[in-house]
Amino acid sequence: MKFVDELYDFYKKKLTADDEDIEILVSSIMHELSKQDMLNILSELNQQELYQITGTYIAYKLREKLVQDQQLGSIHDKDTYIH
């Protein structure tokens, strides 16, 4: 992904492998991007990159819903979980 390559080249001497550093950087950058900026970045993705990002997002949201349902007690049968 061109955008990631450019970010890496710009910040590589300042970044550590610490997840927290990366999360802070990404959060800061995302707050500055408009919806159109984000769509432009996504439009540069190849099929595999788009597949990976979309799949990761869908899996994350499904896990989030399962956790939310568990916390609310709306799922009572352990056999309903997909493993």
Side-chain angles (χ1 to χ4, degrees):
M1 174 190 263
K2 182 180 172 185
F3 183 69
V4 172
D5 293 339
E6 290 172 356
L7 278 178
Y8 179 75
D9 287 342
F10 187 77
Y11 288 104
K12 68 182 171 186
K13 293 182 181 170
K14 299 173 186 168
L15 283 175
T16 65
D18 182 19
D19 284 345
E20 189 174 316
D21 286 350
I22 293 170
E23 288 177 18
I24 291 169
L25 173 64
V26 170
S27 178
S28 174
I29 291 167
M30 293 300 295
H31 280 93
E32 297 297 319
L33 296 175
S34 68
K35 180 178 180 178
Q36 189 59 50
D37 292 333
M38 289 183 250
L39 290 172
N40 288 340
I41 291 167
L42 291 175
S43 73
E44 295 175 359
L45 298 178
N46 65 38
Q47 181 69 24
Q48 182 61 32
E49 291 168 327
L50 190 56
Y51 178 89
Q52 184 178 15
I53 285 174
T54 305
T56 301
Y57 176 77
I58 292 169
Y60 173 81
K61 294 307 278 184
L62 283 171
R63 283 186 200 98
E64 191 177 71
K65 285 190 164 296
L66 283 170
V67 168
Q68 183 181 25
D69 282 351
Q70 286 176 329
Q71 290 173 346
L72 295 175
S74 62
I75 295 180
H76 300 287
D77 185 3
K78 290 182 181 180
D79 294 334
T80 61
Y81 296 112
I82 299 172
H83 296 285

